[in-house]
Amino acid sequence: ANPDAAFGPIMFAQYTLHRGVLKLTAQLAPLEDIPGMACRLDVRRPGGAWTTVDETGIDRLSRTARFRVDSWDARQAADYRVHVTLPLRSGRTPFAYDGTVAAEPDVLSPVKAAVFSCNADHGFPDAEVVDHVAVHEPDVAVFLGDQFYEGNGGFGIQRGPLDDAALDMLHKWAMFGWSYRDLYRRIPSAFIPDDHDVYHGNIWGEGGKVAPTEEGWGAVAQDQGGYKMPAAWVNAVQRMQTSHLPDPYDPTPVRQDIRVYYTQWDYGCVSFADLEDRKFKSAPGNFVPHEAQVVNGWIQNPAFDVREHRELPGATLLGERQREFLEAWSRAGDDGARMKAVLSQTNFAAVHTIPA
């Protein structure tokens, strides 16, 4: 056995720093039914001793431990370690996952971002990707959707019951962390779930409505807008991937009590707007005239001229709430940023084609 090859029970952790607030989320194996389970976050400054800065329980469905430290001194780096103690047959045994909270670059220093999306399992465990990206020494890592696909691992998809569906999703998320955790264990990172992260081929969330699946699970359901998976499961995905982001601009949930995470993240000389446009976007099938013959969002009728329907009453691309946020963020002058950048699930323009 090679102890250095162990994976878990703390599988990985990701964090952000924003205006003196450290938020860190640790991903655990399914430990939630062990009585009295808790996680501890310790930090150590250079030359100092380890200090416990937060302790928290484990969320049942997402298997996450979420930490928050206010008044964080971002001028110098600090080592961290997440602790958990398990009651094994050999006795109570401590486990730890370690990393570094990097010193935040000053506003005159460049910030280098490593940007990822669409992580299928074709190259798992993606070691050469991690090695080659690490050579560039990025300051931040951003993962802009499809951190996993439904079929990753080759075990199919389990959509219910809820607990089993959460475990099905967890192993795909764990594979992602297995591949990439060493990229973001020592630098801050942002994640934005996209369609496949919530088991959709395409998604138009329409403010969190339910996507009816009685007539089929694929395009038929997707074209009606909304989420196919249960709201509690969607919230678990978001908790895993986004709970370490700065606090939401407006935390009011959308329909079905699905949480939101769109927010501003200031780091060094850059102010990021982290969007979740899929959640608010209108389904084309509900707004484009019927003769367009929309299938999975695509217009199939070659005779239909979409240019004659530029304005679709009631349709939205980002939602009024995110438009309000973007308006405030774009005009804000108190963040000290030399550059502003949008992190988005989708492009806001497309070359319209008719797929075969």
Side-chain angles (χ1 to χ4, degrees):
N2 177 8
D4 292 336
F7 186 64
I10 306 166
M11 297 190 285
F12 49 92
Q14 62 269 12
Y15 76 89
T16 59
L17 277 177
H18 172 73
R19 299 191 177 191
V21 176
L22 169 69
K23 293 180 71 175
L24 185 146
T25 297
Q27 184 62 60
L28 285 84
L31 310 174
E32 69 284 348
D33 285 336
I34 300 175
M37 282 300 302
C39 270
R40 190 176 80 239
L41 176 64
D42 295 345
V43 299
R44 180 179 62 185
R45 300 288 184 180
W50 287 103
T51 303
T52 299
V53 294
D54 199 10
E55 187 169 348
T56 186
I58 300 172
D59 179 76
R60 176 174 181 80
L61 207 57
S62 68
R63 282 85 182 182
T64 54
R66 290 166 285 162
F67 302 98
R68 180 190 182 106
V69 183
D70 296 319
S71 303
W72 180 268
D73 182 1
R75 295 171 296 179
Q76 56 178 325
D79 295 328
Y80 71 80
R81 61 185 182 190
V82 180
H83 277 273
V84 66
T85 299
L86 299 185
L88 304 183
R89 291 177 179 174
S90 56
R92 293 183 61 81
T93 305
F95 293 88
Y97 179 87
D98 64 273
T100 303
V101 179
E104 183 174 359
D106 63 54
V107 294
L108 298 179
S109 299
V111 170
K112 188 185 300 180
V115 185
F116 304 83
S117 70
C118 304
N119 177 65
D121 60 353
H122 310 310
F124 180 81
D126 308 294
E128 75 286 356
V129 177
V130 173
D131 289 344
H132 294 171
V133 171
V135 169
H136 298 281
E137 299 182 343
D139 299 294
V140 299
V142 294
F143 297 84
L144 300 182
D146 296 344
Q147 275 65 260
F148 53 80
Y149 285 75
E150 298 94 321
N152 278 15
F155 302 103
I157 309 167
Q158 191 158 354
R159 301 186 178 101
L162 180 62
D163 286 346
D164 293 344
L167 286 172
D168 178 67
M169 176 266 298
L170 176 62
H171 91 252
K172 296 156 189 172
W173 176 233
M175 288 176 65
F176 165 83
W178 185 326
S179 289
Y180 294 104
R181 64 177 182 169
D182 283 340
L183 277 178
Y184 56 80
R185 72 193 298 160
R186 304 188 189 281
I187 58 175
S189 58
F191 298 85
I192 302 178
D194 201 8
D195 49 358
H196 291 283
D197 297 286
V198 293
Y199 288 10
H200 276 246
N202 279 308
I203 185 168
W204 298 274
E206 293 206 348
K209 66 180 281 192
V210 176
T213 57
E214 294 84 0
E215 299 179 20
W217 185 264
V220 174
Q222 291 164 183
D223 275 332
Q224 298 180 71
Y227 288 81
K228 295 183 287 188
M229 293 296 288
W233 185 94
V234 174
N235 282 333
V237 172
Q238 295 184 164
R239 196 171 292 118
M240 290 168 158
Q241 297 199 23
T242 70
S243 58
H244 69 292
L245 294 178
D247 296 344
Y249 177 78
D250 172 6
T252 306
V254 294
R255 284 189 278 184
Q256 299 192 74
D257 200 34
I258 293 176
R259 307 305 187 189
V260 301
Y261 55 85
Y262 65 93
T263 189
Q264 175 176 339
W265 173 30
D266 299 337
Y267 191 73
C269 64
V270 183
S271 180
F272 296 99
D274 300 340
L275 297 183
E276 45 180 328
D277 45 295
R278 294 275 200 179
K279 183 171 287 177
F280 297 91
K281 188 171 294 185
S282 300
N286 290 337
F287 291 89
V288 177
H290 181 71
E291 60 268 23
Q293 301 172 14
V294 171
V295 176
N296 207 20
W298 296 93
I299 295 170
Q300 301 293 310
N301 182 2
F304 183 81
D305 189 352
V306 72
R307 293 173 296 181
E308 297 178 2
H309 302 274
R310 295 180 186 274
E311 298 297 331
L312 300 173
T316 182
L317 183 68
L318 292 167
E320 287 303 314
R321 292 171 57 181
Q322 287 198 123
R323 287 173 62 90
E324 176 187 333
F325 161 61
L326 282 172
E327 183 73 22
W329 169 78
S330 64
R331 295 182 181 276
D334 61 347
D335 48 29
R338 299 171 60 207
M339 176 181 178
K340 299 203 173 194
V342 170
L343 304 180
S344 170
Q345 295 160 321
T346 53
N347 299 319
F348 297 159
V351 178
H352 288 77
T353 60
I354 301 178

